Amino acid sequence: MYTRQEMKLLARERFKEQWFTVICSSLLLLGVIFVFILLRLDPKSGDIRGMIAYCLGWLLCTTINGFYLKVYRGEAVKPEYIFEGLFQNILKKLWCFVLHTLFVVLHSLLFLIPGIIKTYAYIFTPFILSEFPDVSARDALRISERLTHGYKMRIFNLWISFFLWEILSLVTFGILSVVAIPYYGITLAGFFSEILNDKLQTGEITYAELGVEKLDNDELHDEELDDELYDEELYN
């Protein structure tokens, strides 16, 4: 498992490889978020439109995380890929959203800290829904809990390491967020990919649970990442 600094280094490399496409996707995403905000602020929109905005936001969360995962893996992408598969398995995704919200709220009622812990336990759920469409809604939450077991503090520290980016995004009225959002997203996608790979190798998670057969390129993927890290450290 790579360190946070190494993961951020890899994320920057992936970002630079397709920087124009990634920034265009960020602008597109920010435009959609702006529309969602207007729906929530418009007093005429009512609770129904607000709920629709929340549901669409969750669906978009699954596809945008799938987009960042592709970027992390070095796959060629286009800005419109952030909407790829938006309405596929829509009922399962929405049911997962309901369960996710319910469990986080129930834990938050106990105390604030359990709610935060549960939020981080489910942080990989959108990646799982996007990457493994055969996994059920409840299993996606369970697998995310098992993936984050032992890694929650590292994931929290990752978020803390981007706190300055968030401040700068606010200071620049959201302009810097076109870089900050994908930078964080690609790094988190890297965490998901590497933690999943580690837990598959140790048998804590099985390919059968994910509804896929064992990938033949796991070792090759690791070798490519090691080579990239070595090259980056050599030239910096």
Side-chain angles (χ1 to χ4, degrees):
M1 180 67 189
Y2 300 108
T3 65
R4 184 180 73 248
Q5 291 77 12
E6 289 173 332
M7 293 303 305
K8 293 176 75 172
L9 178 64
L10 285 169
R12 288 198 299 270
E13 286 302 300
R14 295 307 194 197
F15 189 112
K16 288 189 290 186
E17 289 172 3
Q18 304 188 73
W19 68 268
F20 183 76
T21 300
V22 172
I23 288 178
C24 286
S25 69
S26 294
L27 292 172
L28 192 58
L29 176 63
L30 289 173
V32 174
I33 292 175
F34 181 70
V35 172
F36 288 166
I37 293 175
L38 290 180
L39 283 174
R40 290 300 302 154
L41 294 179
D42 184 5
K44 297 179 181 180
S45 64
D47 293 335
I48 295 180
R49 289 188 183 180
M51 183 56 66
I52 291 175
Y54 279 126
C55 292
L56 288 176
W58 172 261
L59 295 175
L60 185 60
C61 184
T62 63
T63 58
I64 190 64
N65 280 299
F67 174 85
Y68 290 143
L69 197 55
K70 287 182 173 66
V71 174
Y72 173 77
R73 290 173 175 168
E75 300 177 24
V77 294
K78 297 178 180 179
E80 60 268 25
Y81 282 10
I82 66 170
F83 302 117
E84 188 176 43
L86 184 65
F87 297 111
Q88 290 180 1
N89 298 318
I90 183 171
L91 293 180
K92 179 175 70 176
K93 291 177 181 177
L94 291 178
W95 176 236
C96 188
F97 171 64
V98 171
L99 293 176
H100 177 283
T101 304
L102 177 63
F103 293 147
V104 170
V105 169
L106 288 176
H107 280 76
S108 298
L109 291 176
L110 298 174
F111 194 63
L112 180 62
I113 300 301
I116 294 174
I117 293 174
K118 207 64 175 177
T119 299
Y120 276 92
Y122 292 152
I123 197 168
F124 289 146
T125 304
F127 289 103
I128 296 168
L129 291 174
S130 174
E131 188 72 1
F132 306 107
D134 292 334
V135 175
S136 69
R138 188 67 185 93
D139 285 341
L141 295 171
R142 290 194 184 103
I143 292 172
S144 181
E145 284 187 289
R146 290 161 60 192
L147 284 175
T148 55
H149 180 70
Y151 290 95
K152 293 185 186 69
M153 185 55 67
R154 292 187 64 176
I155 298 171
F156 176 74
N157 289 335
L158 172 67
W159 177 78
I160 291 296
S161 71
F162 279 90
F163 188 70
L164 180 59
W165 281 93
E166 295 179 12
I167 296 297
L168 292 175
S169 295
L170 291 174
V171 171
T172 58
F173 300 99
I175 295 175
L176 197 61
S177 61
V178 299
V179 174
I181 290 176
Y183 181 21
Y184 174 75
I186 297 169
T187 307
L188 185 62
F191 263 73
F192 167 75
S193 182
E194 300 310 320
I195 292 173
L196 177 61
N197 188 45
D198 284 349
K199 300 231 172 187
L200 284 171
Q201 291 180 358
T202 60
E204 295 178 63
I205 302 290
T206 66
Y207 288 94
E209 292 178 274
L210 302 175
V212 296
E213 296 181 359
K214 184 174 181 179
L215 305 178
D216 295 329
N217 62 341
D218 283 346
E219 294 183 1
L220 178 60
H221 171 67
D222 288 340
E223 291 175 1
E224 289 175 346
L225 292 179
D226 288 335
D227 289 342
E228 288 182 21
L229 279 174
Y230 175 77
D231 291 341
E232 182 65 20
E233 291 173 354
L234 184 64
Y235 290 105
N236 287 331

